[in-house]
Amino acid sequence: MYAAGRQTFSLGLSCVIVAAAAVMALAITDVPFFTKGEPREALVVQQMAATGNLVLPLLERGEIQSKPPLFHWLGTGFSKILGGVTETTVRLPSLAASVVILAMTGLTGLRRAGPAAGLIATIMLATSFLWLQASTIARVDMVLAATTAGAVMTFDRAWTGPAPRLPTMFWLLGGLGVLAKGPVGLAVPAIVVACYLFARGESSRLADRRTLNLPAALAGLALPLLWYLPAALEGGHAFLAKHLLAENLLRVVDAEGSGAGHVKPAWFYIPALLAGFAPWSFLTPAAAADDWRRGRRGLEDGTLLWWIWVAVTVLMYSVAGSKRAVYLLSCYPALALTTGAWFARRFASRPAFAPHPSLPSSVTLFPAALMALAGLMIGLEACSVPTLSALSPVLSRHDAANLTVVIETIRSRPALWLIGSVALAAAAGMLAFAGREGRSLTAFATVATFMLLTSAAVGYAVLPALAERLSVRTLLEPWHSRIAADEPLSFYGRFDYLDYVRPAVTYYAGRAVPVRDGSEALGRSGRSWLLITHSRLDELRRAAAGELGAPVRIASRLYDGRGSRREPLLLVEIGEPAGGPGNRAATAEMR
């Protein structure tokens, strides 16, 4: 691998990308939405596809979408090509953006540090925890990461060429970044470039119009206006208040007061980055120390740019009060490039499977022990010996509730998970052997394969089971075709997690679902449908019997809203369908 030429590199890069995309595809295919964020973005795609309005399709209650439309345009395009809006088509933009950046990371590493560094960096990025996760969800963050990372990498390629300048693609990708999530999409790559040129003593060259590439800069700045101007005209004050104030300015300066959420302390991103780039983050400090010892002259292979890229991204997002781990996705390629280049330098001088005395067994002993323990616990659980439940006391209530689903999944397919436990034990043994013998490549390949296979198992078995338990699709889908368009469907009053489930209910119902209470919710003729929490069911039955003389029949139930913290949500039917009691058989057994 370390002696790989360009042809071998191309084959290896293709295999890595195909394998990663296949694993990611398992987690996006027919897995119902069970969080708040995904159906919120899916609603925009659904409305764009239904109305043809690609500028500002109004959502339920006339709400304006909270993010610029690049992600939604891509989702709408995939939906048109594949025949309709589904969970898969809405998630495809994230997967596609991830694949593009994996390829660009590999090619950047090849050009700057050689084929080994490029291939290792791609593998590290493709198998890092948060990158795998974010590549499979319908959120705008991976598309933003692709535009930001793509802009920095196209700058690096052009600046190291015969005529250094800011390339047209840098400005266009920056403009697309603004269309992905706002001004931060251009601000981050621009500040990264400015800091890099300042560190190299070349910032004065930006005063040259040819180096700045002024026509391309104007085109990149104008690109977002093609959406922002018509959207402002269509949305008026509500659009300006949401996109210029709430989603950008107030999220930075007053996240808590503005209700933006995700308010975290200033140091939040340090552990978040270590966890998100796992399992490779334990190598990153060694790479940083080695690059520090090499000094600035030793960083002409692109490493200086990559470290500045990481530092600027972390510092810029740390300034904002609203923080989420996925905001740092755009610097993950830089982390992979620095760590991958260090790994290649450290071990490239030896044949692929030759022992290397500088790889201490202690580096691999701890992860090997964890893998062996996980394999043992899964194997015992598959044999109906309760072991995983011992983790509940150290988990949050939400995670403890999800653990119950994991346990049920393992016990429902014992043969599959027994094979998985044996594979985990074998991987642990291989990793321990690699550490003892100093075989760095074997250790690296074992960890990377473990990450991919674990993600495949989660996407194939765990996520679908978790989604079926928590998604409102489970609640609505069996009855969706039987709820006539003229039959009211509404929430029966407010409850504590209403705002959480409302986007998903609207998406799967395909219509606005208002909140009604008391007699307003009951209707006066025909049949109506209500979504109600279990604690209010008796109250509804009394009201329906007193005002309508009609029974309340439970059509289906969602075990809980999200974990054990929330009570069951029910879909109930009140009254008779338009055809009268004779049509009752069409609704089947209601309990």
Side-chain angles (χ1 to χ4, degrees), residues 26 28 69 84 113 128 135 225 296 306 334 412 429 491 516 525 553:
L26 290 173
I28 75 168
S128 58
S135 300
L225 297 179
R296 200 176 77 171
W306 302 335
S412 67
F491 289 100
R516 297 189 174 120
S525 61
R553 293 172 291 273

Side-chain angles (χ1 to χ4, degrees), residues 122-196:
T122 306
I123 294 172
M124 286 182 171
L125 183 60
T127 56
S128 58
F129 171 73
L130 190 61
W131 191 270
L132 277 167
Q133 184 185 58
S135 300
T136 62
I137 58 176
R139 302 292 293 267
V140 303
D141 302 287
M142 184 55 76
V143 173
L144 172 67
T147 60
T148 303
V152 176
M153 285 190 275
T154 54
F155 156 78
D156 178 56
R157 181 179 181 85
W159 201 261
T160 55
R165 68 174 190 164
L166 291 175
T168 300
M169 281 304 298
F170 171 83
W171 293 111
L172 293 181
L173 285 169
L176 289 175
V178 178
L179 287 174
K181 204 173 180 178
V184 70
L186 179 57
V188 170
I191 295 174
V192 168
V193 167
C195 290
Y196 173 68

Side-chain angles (χ1 to χ4, degrees), residues 58-70:
L58 296 181
L59 306 180
E60 183 186 18
R61 296 169 291 164
E63 291 180 355
I64 291 174
Q65 65 197 60
S66 59
K67 299 294 185 289
L70 180 59

